[in-house]
Amino acid sequence: MDFDLLLRQARLPVGDGAPCDIGIKDGRIAAIAPHLDSDAPGEALGGRLVCAGFVDTHIHLDKSCISDRCNCGSGSLPEAIAAVAAAKREFTVEDVYTRGRRTLEKAILQGTTHMRTHVEVDPRIGLKSFEAIRQLKQDYAWAIDLQICVFPQEGLLNDPGTEELLIAACESGADLIGGCPYTDSDPHGQIARIFGIAKQFHIDIDFHLDFDLDPSWMHLDEVCRQTGIHKWGGRVAIGHVTKLSAVDGLQLEVIGKRLADAGVAVTVLPATDLFLMGRGLSHSVPRGVAPAHRLLTLGVNCSLATNNVLNPFTPFGDGSLLRIANLYANVAQLGASSEFGDCFDMVTSRPAQLINRTDYGIKVGNPADIVVLDAPDKASALAELAPPLLGIKRGRRSFARPAALLNRP
Ligand SMILES: [Zn+2]
């Protein structure tokens, strides 16, 4: 068969682990076999792992790279929200585009091929950030599929004018709607309005749900209830949900079943949660990271994601989702290779399912989105933070990073 590009001796993330050849034609995966006879130009992968790229379901490109503009002392969540709200007043379309591009390019170089970015919309910023990110989505479509989730970070029912702007964004290219009930004067009212907008535009929902360690109350039940009423199962995700790090095993089992039955997925954001939670304590600081690996066993779909990069919420970030998954495994005290595999899946196949991509994965007929990692399998890639060496998006090379070379004497 006549291929445009041939990858030799690749190892797939699923199956028996035997190396195979992957033939690419017209931007799609045309064949996968132990050996493909072809003179097509190719790459010898030497048994390295390939996947369809990392999938980041929760990042904020619009407010990335502003650490140098914010003066933060206590490191608390209210301080971070206030500092970003103040910085946001100075944002311009060009400024958001430039900073968003810097973060997006890093993520592409780290092997991310799909991303859902949350974008703040309110009467102060208007649609400036949205317009900048919409332009980025178009300009970088050659390397990454970018979904735009517009949401009211500073509240909806307490912030007149916000709903009209969210609707305007949905009319001009936003892919889905988000919510942030914990900052609203009427959290349940906000949840109801977000479902209303989602149904009006037939779009998915992704909530910033809660962000504290008090399990005595939560909005999770209301989200599950509304998901059931509106028959939106499989189209709703909730992020952070740090309260789930503060419930015991029995409570978690009840909540996990509730989420699984409702079809509500969970995104855990370890870098931010570790940085912001438990700030009032001087010692034995709780981790504040929801136990995604336990939720998986209860039938909940979960992803691990980046959230913030170089801002008061998270003053770190290289765009690497493999690093986030490694961080999660470390914090969650996971060590078995099957658990490492689960963590790898939570930055690849599981988030692809969360964003309802049905064409994700190294399969014949799917778009040729392929990332080569310098490791033989998922567990090693996670444990050793294997560098991504080559990225292919819809059959075209999107980035390359030569393997490190020792200069022996
Ligand atoms: Zn977020």
Side-chain angles (χ1 to χ4, degrees), residues 5 53 140 145 158 164 168 200 213 264 293 353 383 390 401 404:
L5 180 64
Y140 283 82
D145 288 311
N158 53 301
E164 290 79 357
Q200 186 184 339
L213 301 177
V264 173
H293 63 291
Q353 186 192 332
L390 172 69
R401 172 185 288 131

Side-chain angles (χ1 to χ4, degrees), residues 121 126-135 137-138 148 150 164-176 197 201 203:
V121 167
L127 295 177
K128 279 186 268 187
S129 295
F130 169 69
E131 282 164 17
I133 302 300
R134 190 178 54 184
Q135 190 63 46
K137 173 181 173 169
Q138 196 181 319
I148 303 177
V150 287
E164 290 79 357
L165 287 163
L166 287 170
I167 288 171
C170 290
E171 281 166 347
S172 32
D175 298 286
L176 72 157
I197 297 171
F201 291 93
I203 50 180

Side-chain angles (χ1 to χ4, degrees), residues 14 38 76 92 160 192 210 254 405:
V14 289
S38 168
S76 69
T92 63
D210 61 53
V254 173
L405 195 64

